[in-house]
Amino acid sequence: MAPSLRQGVVLAGVLLLGMAAARAQVPQDNDSQRARGAAQAALEAVAQPGAFVCRPLTVGMMAPDWIRGRVLAVHDGRLQVRIAQAGQYPHTLAGADLTPGAEVWDAAAAWTPCRD
C-alpha cells in the first residue's frame, strides 16, 4: 500500500473512532443525569419527617440485615431516625446501639423508603 493511501486509511479510522466515541458519550451524559435524578428522588422520599425508612447493614459476608425506623427530623442531608426494628443481629450505628426506640442521626443517602 502506498504511503499516502496508508495515511488516508489511518486517518479515516481515527475519524471513525472519534465519531463513535462522541456518540458513546451522549448516553453516558443521559445516564448520569438519570442517575442523579433517581438519587434526588430517593433522597426526597426519605427526607420527610414521618417517612418509614429501611437501611441495610452488613453482617460479615452474609446478606444484609435490614433495620427499619421512622424519620423524626431532617437536617443538612442527615436523618434522625427512631428505630422500629433493629434487625436480627446486634448493630451499632453512629456510636449508638440499635434497639427498638433508639434514635440515631445518619446520612439520608444510606436509607431507602420501605413499608410499615
Side-chain angles (χ1 to χ4, degrees):
M1 191 180 294
S4 62
L5 182 59
R6 186 177 313 142
Q7 290 171 345
V9 170
V10 170
L11 180 59
V14 168
L15 289 172
L16 287 173
L17 287 174
M19 288 173 26
R23 283 187 184 165
Q25 290 179 3
V26 171
Q28 290 175 352
D29 291 339
N30 290 339
D31 288 345
S32 63
Q33 288 174 350
R34 198 172 306 126
R36 280 193 301 271
Q40 183 63 32
L43 182 59
E44 289 171 3
V46 299
Q48 299 177 32
F52 198 71
V53 293
C54 298
R55 185 188 197 286
L57 292 173
T58 304
V59 179
M61 294 179 61
M62 297 174 39
D65 190 20
W66 287 85
I67 59 173
R68 292 167 170 71
R70 184 144 332 260
V71 176
L72 300 176
V74 180
H75 183 68
D76 289 336
R78 297 179 60 78
L79 305 178
Q80 181 182 23
V81 178
R82 179 177 295 131
I83 303 301
Q85 298 172 359
Q88 296 179 345
Y89 302 96
H91 296 288
T92 302
L93 186 63
D97 291 332
L98 296 182
T99 57
E103 295 178 7
V104 294
W105 282 92
D106 193 22
W111 295 83
T112 185
C114 61
R115 288 182 251 151
D116 269 320

